[in-house]
Amino acid sequence: MPLYEFRCTGCGPVERSFAMAEVPTSILCPRCDSESRRMVSSPRLSHASSTAMGLLDSTARSAHEPAVVSGSVPGARRSPTPMTSNPLHRKLPRP
Ligand SMILES: [Zn+2]
């Protein structure tokens, strides 16, 4: 069931879960028992945390809008060292 946000005048926002067809326009505040009116907001349909949802959003966004990278990749060598598999080259002086 989605979460809906209500606002108590004394306590602030209160979140409650209701079925979409049964959501009331106001509820009693669980702290002070005063009327809390429903705020106009999007219902939260997922149980994932905001951090997890942010990660999912950034992953989906990077699939279509990859970040522009400038400079070299961290950890990459600046000049590639030529490699050889000849054992005689091991005796050669190194720079
Ligand atoms: Zn209250």
Side-chain angles (χ1 to χ4, degrees):
M1 286 191 286
L3 277 174
Y4 291 93
E5 194 170 13
F6 299 85
R7 179 169 294 279
C8 172
T9 54
C11 304
V14 177
E15 291 182 341
R16 293 280 305 272
S17 181
F18 288 100
M20 289 178 128
E22 299 172 357
V23 60
T25 57
S26 65
I27 62 170
L28 291 179
C29 175
R31 291 178 222 138
C32 66
D33 284 339
S34 64
E35 182 179 3
S36 305
R37 297 194 51 86
R38 182 178 163 200
M39 296 175 55
V40 177
S41 61
S42 60
R44 296 187 194 159
L45 301 175
S46 174
H47 290 287
S49 67
S50 62
T51 305
M53 291 305 293
L55 180 62
L56 290 173
D57 289 344
S58 68
T59 302
R61 188 173 42 249
S62 68
H64 302 288
E65 304 166 13
V68 176
V69 178
S70 60
S72 63
V73 177
R77 292 182 176 180
R78 292 186 178 186
S79 62
T81 305
M83 301 290 288
T84 177
S85 60
N86 190 337
L88 296 175
H89 290 170
R90 291 181 192 155
K91 295 179 181 178
L92 294 174
R94 298 185 181 255

